[in-house]
Amino acid sequence: MSTQSVRVKRNLMLSTCAFAIAAAAATSASAQSQATLAAAATAAGSSTLETVIVTAERRGTDVQRTPDAVTAISGQTLDQTFTTSVAGLNSVVPSLEVTKTSGFENLVTIRGVGSETPENGLTTVPGVSEFIDGVYIANTISLDQTLFDIQNIEVLRGPQGALYGQSSIGGAINIITRQPRLNTYDASGDFSAGTYNLFRERAEVNIPIGQTMALRLSGQKYDHDGFTENLAIPGFKLDDAHDASVKGSLLWKPTDNFSATLTADLYRSNQHGDAQKNLIDPSPDPRQLSQDYPSHFKLTSQLYHLNLQWDLPGFSIRSVSAYQGLDHIQQEDSDRTTFAQIHAYDVVAAWNTHVHNYTEELDFLSPAGSKLEWIVGLFGLYQTSKQFVVEYGGTTAPTAAQLAIPRGITNNPPSNLNYGNDSHVQRKSYSVFGQATYHVSDVLRVTAGLRYNNDDFKDNSYNFSAFGTNTVVHSKKGSVPTWRLEADYDFSPDNMVYASYARGYKPGGVNGSYGQQLIPATFRPEKNDAFEVGLKNYFFDRSLRLNVAAFYYNHKDFQYIETDPVPFDGGLTNIPKVRDYGVEFEAQYVGLDDHLHLGASLALEKGQVVGKTLVLDSTVVNAIENNPSFSSPCAFGGAFYNPGCWAAVLAAARDINGKEPPAMPKVSGSVNASYRWDLPSGAVTARAQYTYRGSEWARIFNEPTLDKVKAYGVTDLYVEYAPTGGKWRVSLTGTNLFDKAGVNSRYTDPYGTGQTSQQYIPPRQVIGTIAFAF
């Protein structure tokens, strides 16, 4: 471990101790001492932090009165840091990890719990649920979209088993967009330009229509050149962006107690794709690689939803009805290198996914502030999806014609077709849920929630290759109860402690493979029993906010990808038990008459597999099956037909007892500071942020040479000038100022040639913006 890494960890640990001492002081300080501190802070020119309203409890509540680990990020903060994707929240939100995988998926993990099943989005669901304006987003590919027209983002850490149900085994992300406003006409927009030929244009307008209706229209165009040069294809760059978003929302509010909002949200992206640099790539430059097959990524999505709110004397009714359509077209160099480098090729000529998703949620809520607050609801989902995959491979250099997709390939596979799949999946899910909070007294509350979840999967999969064809029909039905029990107590109006026990789950599902020796036809639901204790505090007349949360997880049936002895028959299965635990800190301070703002977050986490667990690592299997020795039972393609080869592979299974879960750095966090100078002509605001993500494992196998992802730290800077009374502002943003080549993720492909690649965080970017409003 480097001296710098040790120093960083030591400083973060010292910060942890300081936070803990402050938290303890909060719970023991008397009212008199609190008043003394507040008076001193006021005399020094402090200000009061703004109240942050979140919807974690499905109703608007002050984040400091919400007994859950919740982080809220405003749209203004996203703009100042030029955060354009969910991955930009890495380590800014405690315990949040968003890792790029296989060039087109963002796998979200919170506290080591999320999704570790890349390239299997058709048969599994995310482990951290995402909602946009109350609509459940059911596919991980949707996370590739550029953020757009955001009011704020809420990240809920820990399983949300009662109110959010499936996919929230690790937590939930609520994305809340800007909404229409009655009796108001305004418009705004901005134009940004920066390095790598970056251009972003945004515009929005709010139009009142009479006294009861309003229309909001917004659009965004975002482009930049690729960060990474492909030396094998001159002029071809990866990590580029070329996308466009448009949104229209129509609000109708005929009375004070009823509203209806109809929204259409469209997105399109067409680019070369992400740079996946092979570990054996000959170039030492992280922004260069050599791949002889051009990748391509195209994503089109559409989201339509109707949100209804009706407030009656004794309760409120809320309905969210939605349709989501997704079309994803991709091709990639699956060996992530050149034929000359490995004397073989592995090319995915098509990886096309099409999803139609219908959801409905109906909630009934008690009035806020009553002694017994309750919510009951129904949720339903119906999804149809299909996937078409064509993967070529061989040891003789291919011609362009051999990598094309001929008509009738499903019935007449060419000799170099290693894997083809045409899957049609139908998924139905429904749940009923309820949660109630009883105010025992003015300072003590208890909450209980229960949810019944029912899932039904059916996979009709047609597999075709040079080795034969087969049709597989697998189905799985199941129901899982989840819950939440919680109590919270106010030591004072500014200090609260809470404790909770919750269960979250991720549905089981089906594998579309045939003839496998190890992988089951279906896999079990993943469950997480979570215990959490937290403190939420204000200090110094509410100029300092300090929150602490400690958790312990009993994580069962962890879903992951395992290799089968039969090539291309790998799939999903379960690890019986993983235990995770940690502590998180968040702090914000405002002072000097609201000129100075400080913030910090810190997460300390650890997890491990519990009990003897034998698994197959794809890299070990590949070495056995590709043994050139004539005496090997796997010689001459024996992996496809020889039971002796299968037995040799099964004998190579390894025990992973004690291994650490992926995407769970032991230390991560961030600090930021901003200051505003008031000038005669206007105001200048400067903001600096440093983010640190510790080292982590990329896979549950914990192979040091393949799976260890190094730590990195990133510094960002923002400067803005806004004239007094003006309708415009200008700003300059610098991201990754010291141009750190931090590794976001590593990925060892369990299929094909099994190469290991890594994806880097974006390089240094300098971006200027001019914005206007009228």
Side-chain angles (χ1 to χ4, degrees):
M1 181 181 296
S2 68
T3 303
Q4 181 181 3
S5 178
V6 171
R7 187 181 299 115
V8 169
K9 289 190 176 182
R10 181 192 65 193
N11 291 340
L12 287 172
M13 290 297 293
L14 289 174
S15 300
T16 302
C17 295
F19 276 136
I21 292 170
T27 59
S28 61
S30 66
Q32 182 178 359
S33 63
Q34 287 289 313
T36 302
L37 292 170
T42 302
S46 69
S47 304
T48 300
L49 286 162
E50 293 183 358
T51 299
V52 178
I53 302 299
V54 296
T55 58
E57 300 291 311
R58 295 297 176 89
R59 64 175 87 231
T61 59
D62 181 352
V63 69
Q64 291 301 100
R65 315 308 303 167
T66 304
D68 205 349
V70 184
T71 300
I73 305 98
S74 68
Q76 180 184 22
T77 299
L78 297 176
D79 286 345
Q80 290 180 346
T81 56
F82 211 83
T83 299
T84 59
S85 67
V86 176
L89 303 178
N90 267 345
S91 300
V92 174
V93 176
S95 304
L96 175 67
E97 279 290 293
V98 184
T99 53
K100 297 288 290 184
T101 302
S102 191
F104 67 94
E105 287 186 274
N106 283 286
L107 299 184
V108 184
T109 302
I110 298 178
R111 297 174 174 175
V113 181
S115 176
E116 290 304 323
T117 55
E119 298 193 2
N120 288 268
L122 207 68
T123 55
T124 187
V125 300
V128 174
S129 57
E130 180 190 11
F131 293 81
I132 298 178
D133 294 332
V135 179
Y136 170 62
I137 306 301
N139 192 287
T140 58
I141 303 175
S142 298
L143 291 174
D144 277 299
Q145 296 185 33
T146 302
L147 294 175
F148 167 59
D149 202 24
I150 305 298
Q151 179 69 35
N152 62 280
I153 297 177
E154 302 170 3
V155 181
L156 287 63
R157 308 192 299 278
Q160 307 295 316
L163 296 183
Y164 292 84
Q166 65 171 300
S167 299
S168 63
I169 184 171
I173 298 176
N174 287 335
I175 298 177
I176 301 167
T177 67
R178 295 185 176 96
Q179 298 297 304
R181 301 188 308 279
L182 295 176
N183 304 314
T184 300
Y185 175 83
D186 58 32
S188 62
D190 59 53
F191 171 76
S192 299
T195 50
Y196 295 94
N197 283 326
L198 181 145
F199 293 98
R200 185 179 71 177
E201 305 87 28
R202 300 188 298 183
E204 54 196 35
V205 60
N206 191 87
I207 305 171
I209 304 174
Q211 299 296 312
T212 62
M213 298 182 71
L215 174 66
R216 178 181 175 82
L217 301 173
S218 53
Q220 174 177 275
K221 185 73 171 66
Y222 180 56
D223 299 274
H224 66 70
D225 290 348
F227 303 139
T228 305
E229 182 182 5
N230 187 350
L231 300 178
I233 306 177
F236 193 88
K237 293 186 177 182
L238 299 162
D239 288 328
D240 57 330
H242 302 286
D243 59 58
S245 307
V246 293
K247 183 171 76 102
S249 295
L250 179 64
L251 167 66
W252 179 48
K253 191 174 176 62
T255 64
D256 290 340
N257 67 339
F258 177 81
S259 66
T261 305
L262 179 64
T263 301
D265 194 341
L266 308 176
Y267 174 84
R268 168 169 286 188
S269 175
N270 191 353
Q271 56 208 42
H272 290 155
D274 291 346
Q276 305 170 71
K277 186 178 174 73
N278 200 314
L279 292 188
I280 63 172
D281 192 279
S283 174
D285 189 333
R287 307 300 176 185
Q288 291 182 342
L289 53 72
S290 294
Q291 297 175 2
D292 51 15
Y293 184 75
S295 61
H296 181 220
F297 174 92
K298 184 177 180 180
L299 174 63
T300 303
S301 69
Q302 48 190 321
L303 172 62
Y304 305 96
H305 55 98
L306 175 64
N307 296 54
L308 304 176
Q309 178 82 27
W310 190 15
D311 299 322
L312 298 172
F315 61 94
S316 297
I317 303 174
R318 184 177 59 203
S319 170
V320 180
S321 309
Y323 164 75
Q324 306 161 59
L326 180 145
D327 295 288
H328 165 234
I329 309 297
Q330 175 165 317
Q331 66 182 43
E332 67 174 8
D333 192 333
S334 195
D335 57 58
R336 280 95 169 163
T337 185
T338 63
F339 182 86
Q341 179 77 16
I342 61 173
H343 305 292
Y345 69 94
D346 181 10
V347 164
V348 175
W351 193 311
N352 305 336
T353 305
H354 307 276
V355 179
H356 299 278
N357 202 66
Y358 305 85
T359 57
E360 167 64 32
E361 179 161 338
L362 183 63
D363 299 338
F364 300 85
L365 302 90
S366 68
S370 55
K371 190 173 183 65
L372 178 66
E373 294 180 324
W374 52 264
I375 174 174
V376 295
L378 305 168
F379 172 79
L381 175 149
Y382 177 75
Q383 181 185 92
T384 60
S385 52
K386 59 182 180 179
Q387 181 174 272
F388 179 72
V389 180
V390 172
E391 184 169 359
Y392 295 118
T395 56
T396 302
T399 64
Q402 289 177 308
L403 300 182
I405 302 176
R407 186 183 300 273
I409 188 175
T410 57
N411 298 317
N412 187 24
S415 60
N416 66 330
L417 181 64
N418 281 348
Y419 177 71
N421 177 264
D422 186 7
S423 292
H424 296 258
V425 175
Q426 177 181 275
R427 178 182 169 205
K428 293 182 287 186
S429 178
Y430 71 86
S431 58
V432 294
F433 60 90
Q435 179 171 291
T437 298
Y438 180 68
H439 294 249
V440 179
S441 67
D442 291 340
V443 296
L444 176 64
R445 296 159 294 276
V446 293
T447 298
L450 182 65
R451 190 180 189 108
Y452 173 81
N453 310 275
N454 185 275
D455 302 289
D456 185 346
F457 292 84
K458 184 177 181 180
D459 182 0
N460 189 325
S461 182
Y462 176 67
N463 301 302
F464 55 97
S465 71
F467 309 99
T469 63
N470 61 74
T471 299
V472 181
V473 179
H474 288 155
S475 61
K476 183 177 180 63
K477 297 181 180 180
S479 58
V480 176
T482 55
W483 58 78
R484 180 173 183 242
L485 300 173
E486 181 274 331
D488 53 277
Y489 178 78
D490 297 332
F491 287 102
S492 76
D494 291 340
N495 309 105
M496 179 183 78
V497 62
Y498 68 90
S500 66
Y501 166 49
R503 166 173 282 190
Y505 94 109
K506 184 165 63 172
V510 296
N511 287 311
S513 50
Y514 170 81
Q516 63 267 30
Q517 299 296 303
L518 177 65
I519 304 301
T522 62
F523 52 93
R524 297 187 298 275
E526 186 174 330
K527 302 173 186 176
N528 184 19
D529 291 340
F531 301 87
E532 182 173 323
V533 177
L535 289 167
K536 294 197 169 185
N537 308 286
Y538 279 119
F539 295 124
F540 308 138
D541 197 24
R542 299 201 170 195
S543 64
L544 173 65
R545 180 187 295 127
L546 175 62
N547 296 339
V548 184
F551 64 91
Y552 176 86
Y553 288 173
N554 188 11
H555 189 184
K556 305 173 184 176
D557 289 324
F558 176 95
Q559 295 173 7
Y560 78 109
I561 299 175
E562 183 163 61
T563 301
D564 194 82
V566 179
F568 298 103
D569 273 358
L572 307 188
T573 187
N574 303 88
I575 293 172
K577 185 180 292 187
V578 179
R579 284 184 182 152
D580 308 302
Y581 51 91
V583 60
E584 302 158 342
F585 305 88
E586 286 185 289
Q588 295 85 34
Y589 172 76
V590 59
L592 303 179
D593 294 327
D594 202 37
H595 286 70
L596 176 66
H597 288 254
L598 303 174
S601 67
L602 176 66
L604 306 173
E605 311 168 89
K606 187 173 176 58
Q608 63 181 17
V609 177
V610 178
K612 183 177 181 180
T613 307
L614 296 176
V615 300
L616 284 176
D617 182 345
S618 61
T619 61
V620 175
V621 173
N622 285 340
I624 295 172
E625 293 183 342
N626 294 315
N627 185 348
S629 171
F630 290 106
S631 61
S632 169
C634 298
F636 308 107
F640 290 96
Y641 60 84
N642 191 341
C645 179
W646 303 334
V649 169
L650 291 172
R654 297 178 176 179
D655 184 9
I656 59 169
N657 181 29
K659 299 292 187 182
E660 298 179 25
M664 191 179 192
K666 293 178 180 176
V667 180
S668 61
S670 68
V671 293
N672 65 78
S674 68
Y675 190 82
R676 187 186 79 245
W677 291 269
D678 291 331
L679 307 174
S681 61
V684 174
T685 301
R687 186 183 192 274
Q689 176 173 287
Y690 176 77
T691 304
Y692 175 81
R693 194 202 69 183
S695 62
E696 63 183 24
W697 295 105
R699 298 184 305 159
I700 195 71
F701 309 110
N702 291 189
E703 291 293 338
T705 57
L706 297 180
D707 300 332
K708 194 66 172 179
V709 182
K710 293 181 179 180
Y712 66 83
V714 172
T715 302
D716 302 321
L717 183 64
Y718 172 84
V719 181
E720 175 191 273
Y721 172 72
T724 303
K727 296 295 186 180
W728 58 272
R729 59 181 173 82
V730 292
S731 62
L732 185 67
T733 304
T735 61
N736 193 2
L737 281 179
F738 299 104
D739 205 20
K740 297 291 185 180
V743 176
N744 170 268
S745 62
R746 278 192 177 182
Y747 177 61
T748 298
D749 196 336
Y751 310 112
T753 56
Q755 299 296 308
T756 299
S757 59
Q758 58 190 17
Q759 294 185 233
Y760 291 90
I761 62 175
R764 176 174 53 235
Q765 294 176 274
V766 180
I767 304 144
T769 299
I770 180 168
F772 62 88
F774 60 86

